[in-house]
Amino acid sequence: MRPPCDPSKFVADAVKNIPPSGIRRFFDLVSGLEDIVSLGVGEPDFITPWHIREMCIHSLEKGQTSYTSNYGLPDLRDALSRTYYKRYELDYDPSSEILITTGVSEALDIAVRTVVNPGDEVIIVQPSYVAYVPSVILAGGKPVIVSTYREDDFSLTAETLKPAITDKTKAIILNFPNNPTGAIMTQEELEGIADLVVENDLFVISDEVYECLTYEGKHVPFSSLDGMKDRTVMLNGFSKAYAMTGLRLGFAMGSPEIIHSMMMIHQYSMLCAPITAQIGAIEALRNGNEEMERMVREYDRRRHFIVRGFNRIGLECCNPKGAFYAFPYIGNTGLSSSEFAERLLDEKKVVTIPGDVFGEAGEGFLRCAYAASIDDIRKALDRMEDFVDGLKQ
């Protein structure tokens, strides 16, 4: 009889060292519970608009179920090129500067692997989306954390960034509008970052998936700044703006050299994004603005409602200017972020995500998604007020 073995010894060290997602941990805690009100899911509560679903259905009825080009459908890349030129006068060649991916998550993964060599330092601005640090570690890079603060509305300043840059720094990952804080960056602030990028010969991976969910001012793509197009790969997708999360469709825009290199990884790991989703995305870009703007107006209404509510019950909350997250401060309650979120779930059946999941700079805060109905937000606020009042007794 052959001896047994321990399969865990075959798992790569880099994978062993990746922490589990704090977001998924809270969803596991919720499993099986009743009467839950969730502000935890970073997903639109709207259904994908009918005309987009109808186009997907029609494509299946016509038997359009084949592979596409590794780069994605030419019509989709052309529609994206036209869209970004119309919005920002950004000129991306659809034949060589746009890659369609299976969600923005894939775009992030292959962008990092394209740019990072083992030992390269990559600056990650926190609080930030949970995937950035693991992506850098899996590529053999070293994450270098730069924190933002509520005193600055969680925006990044050149003064904060500069001390983190060394001769080993290769790239910066930016995410504005930001998950989890809802922060945005003005053009003036971004110009200061761009100056440092040039001075230190750096590359920027700019995750702009919440681009269309900008409520105050106008979104400024980092690549639209003078001299930044060739130093930036812009990542985006259809999940947030068009409520197409389950269709898993993203895209990357950048120089031909970067996009071709990303495609080389993409063709061996994913081959192509699903054709049905790509056909739906073409419809979204051509005819989806009215529905998208309607959803954004509703998010904006909820944004004002939830921020007023948090401030009323004594949880100070900065005004988020983008995305669909509020980030109230709970540090004055005497509880850590995790303690507050776990007790709130256990005692009041309200799901939030503790801020420290998004980095040390998030300690003392909660991420609360207002991608939920006003009724659910009101119910969550009422329960949170009872919880906070109970802590004072």
Side-chain angles (χ1 to χ4, degrees):
M1 183 176 178
R2 296 186 179 93
C5 79
D6 176 11
S8 66
K9 69 182 180 181
F10 300 112
V11 178
D13 291 341
V15 177
K16 288 180 181 178
N17 293 330
I18 293 176
S21 168
I23 297 176
R24 302 316 309 177
R25 182 172 72 86
F26 268 76
F27 290 143
D28 291 341
L29 290 173
V30 169
S31 180
L33 297 179
E34 296 181 356
D35 192 30
I36 292 293
V37 181
S38 179
L39 303 181
V41 182
E43 176 177 26
D45 61 319
F46 298 105
I47 298 172
T48 308
W50 167 245
H51 66 101
I52 297 174
R53 287 180 282 143
E54 184 178 40
M55 192 61 70
C56 292
I57 294 166
H58 187 50
S59 73
L60 290 170
E61 290 176 336
K62 292 195 298 182
Q64 293 177 296
T65 56
S66 63
Y67 293 131
T68 73
S69 159
N70 296 137
Y71 283 98
L73 288 172
D75 283 353
L76 176 53
R77 286 178 280 139
D78 184 65
L80 282 166
S81 178
R82 292 174 183 272
T83 296
Y84 277 82
Y85 188 80
K86 182 178 180 180
R87 285 181 189 169
Y88 308 110
E89 294 188 356
L90 270 170
D91 190 8
Y92 284 103
D93 184 342
S95 67
S96 62
E97 296 184 318
I98 300 175
L99 174 67
I100 310 302
T101 60
T102 305
V104 187
S105 296
E106 190 214 350
L108 170 68
D109 175 49
I110 62 178
V112 172
R113 286 197 278 164
T114 292
V115 171
V116 176
N117 288 315
D120 285 343
E121 293 181 355
V122 179
I123 293 174
I124 298 172
V125 182
Q126 290 187 343
S128 68
Y129 179 54
V130 295
Y132 299 151
V133 168
S135 294
V136 171
I137 292 172
L138 287 173
K142 179 184 176 182
V144 175
I145 306 305
V146 171
S147 296
T148 59
Y149 303 96
R150 63 172 173 156
E151 294 80 8
D152 301 316
D153 289 335
F154 293 104
S155 63
L156 177 66
T157 65
E159 291 75 17
T160 304
L161 177 63
K162 188 173 183 178
I165 300 173
T166 73
D167 58 0
K168 293 183 179 180
T169 306
K170 181 74 169 288
I172 305 170
I173 298 178
L174 297 177
N175 171 221
F176 294 97
N178 179 266
N179 172 12
T181 67
I184 64 171
M185 295 277 285
T186 65
Q187 179 158 346
E188 182 180 0
E189 291 168 333
L190 289 173
E191 294 285 3
I193 306 303
D195 288 339
L196 286 178
V197 167
V198 172
E199 289 171 17
N200 296 277
D201 195 22
L202 304 179
F203 190 77
V204 175
I205 299 171
S206 187
D207 179 354
E208 302 181 21
V209 71
Y210 294 97
E211 165 207 347
C212 293
L213 278 65
T214 300
Y215 310 108
E216 299 183 24
K218 183 179 180 182
H219 178 72
V220 180
F222 195 81
S223 57
S224 69
L225 304 178
D226 180 46
M228 290 301 104
K229 186 183 172 191
D230 286 343
R231 290 184 176 273
T232 304
V233 61
M234 177 170 60
L235 312 181
N236 208 325
F238 294 85
S239 294
K240 313 301 183 181
Y242 298 99
M244 294 171 62
T245 50
L247 290 171
R248 307 308 306 131
L249 201 69
F251 56 90
M253 292 178 160
S255 69
E257 294 82 1
I258 293 295
I259 293 300
H260 174 75
S261 299
M262 289 176 64
M263 186 278 295
M264 293 296 289
I265 303 173
H266 172 74
Q267 70 177 350
Y268 291 119
S269 61
M270 199 62 66
L271 199 148
C272 69
I275 187 172
T276 307
Q278 293 191 56
I279 290 169
I282 294 170
E283 173 65 17
L285 290 171
R286 289 178 176 172
N287 300 303
N289 275 353
E290 184 177 341
E291 282 292 303
M292 182 262 287
E293 290 169 359
R294 179 186 64 80
M295 289 187 279
V296 171
R297 286 193 299 272
E298 177 60 19
Y299 290 137
D300 192 22
R301 186 170 77 97
R302 298 170 182 180
R303 174 176 72 108
H304 290 291
F305 184 83
I306 198 170
V307 169
R308 284 196 305 268
F310 282 133
N311 287 315
R312 176 180 56 80
I313 67 177
L315 300 180
E316 183 183 338
C317 188
C318 296
N319 185 34
K321 298 177 181 177
F324 43 47
Y325 307 106
F327 207 54
Y329 178 66
I330 55 89
N332 56 3
T333 65
L335 300 178
S336 70
S337 293
S338 291
E339 289 169 339
F340 190 104
E342 289 175 12
R343 285 188 55 182
L344 180 65
L345 174 59
D346 182 55
E347 297 174 26
K348 298 297 179 180
K349 302 294 190 294
V350 176
V351 182
T352 60
I353 306 298
D356 63 331
V357 163
F358 306 97
E360 289 185 10
E363 177 54 61
F365 298 86
L366 297 178
R367 190 192 79 171
C368 301
Y370 47 89
S373 70
I374 286 286
D375 286 345
D376 279 350
I377 294 171
R378 181 182 290 108
K379 187 183 298 184
L381 287 169
D382 289 343
R383 294 183 183 187
M384 292 176 79
E385 183 174 18
D386 288 343
F387 178 72
V388 171
D389 287 346
L391 295 176
K392 298 174 184 176
Q393 297 176 0

